[in-house]
Amino acid sequence: MTFRPKLITFDCHGTMIFFDMAGAARDHYGAALGDRIDGFIADFAAYRLDEVLGAWKPYAEVVHNSLERTCKRNGVAFDPAVAADIYDRVPTWGPHADVPAGLQRIAGKIPLVALTNSMNVQIPHNIARLGAPIDHVFTAESAGAYKPQMQAFEYMFDQLGCGPEDVLHVSSSFRYDLMTAHDLGIRNKVWVNRGHEPANPYYGYTEVKDISGLAEVVGL
């Protein structure tokens, strides 16, 4: 695949930012749960996805509710202070090691856009650590909806004055991004295989191992 889009749109947390919810959960629950911690982490991820499928609510509530449900499922006492700590860690997380150099190969040649399930107050701290300029940043808070809801993508299109045919969308997640991108008619997609989910060729994408491979996809 070689496609020179008008814009490259990115998922942020997980794709560009090392979104270390697993590490945060291990810090708080690993000692108590032992070999059960991997199941706890998987439940925490599943409940976070479930929490963003309804009406928009602040991300602090998403973390709080999903952690509370995870604790209940795993027979662990829930402490709201732990949820608050995990939420407060989010803006401190920086990029995957491959991201700064990978983005620098493209920045200034094709506009870069972040579409992120984040709060307006959180995301500037993450974006500032990417090591390359991002031309536009759109949050779930501004869109009034979290991905994978179509409304988040539609808000981005409206703000940019573009359509699905104009963008290359880049994500490490099928469930949050690439499935919805497919349903909205974004034909040009890149899956960054960070090991979050198994391959799913039905959704039509170019696979790269990390952001360093993106420049070649767009002919740079």
Side-chain angles (χ1 to χ4, degrees), residues 78 81 85 136-137 149:
F78 171 68
D85 174 73
H136 306 277
V137 179
Q149 296 185 60

Side-chain angles (χ1 to χ4, degrees), residues 52-69:
V52 300
L53 296 178
W56 183 86
K57 53 182 171 276
Y59 196 67
E61 293 183 23
V62 171
V63 174
H64 178 110
N65 294 350
S66 58
L67 185 62
E68 184 173 26
R69 296 168 72 186

Side-chain angles (χ1 to χ4, degrees), residues 6-7 157-158 160-167 184-186:
K6 293 181 180 178
L7 307 121
F157 292 146
D158 289 344
L160 293 170
C162 73
E165 68 281 1
D166 297 317
V167 308
L184 283 170
I186 300 176

Side-chain angles (χ1 to χ4, degrees), residues 70-115:
T70 302
C71 288
K72 180 179 179 181
R73 182 170 180 175
N74 287 270
V76 176
F78 171 68
D79 181 354
V82 173
D85 174 73
I86 293 175
Y87 173 81
D88 288 342
R89 293 187 187 199
V90 174
T92 71
W93 291 331
H96 291 281
D98 55 275
V99 169
L103 291 180
Q104 288 164 16
R105 294 179 63 189
I106 303 166
K109 302 177 182 71
I110 302 173
L112 308 181
V113 180
L115 178 63

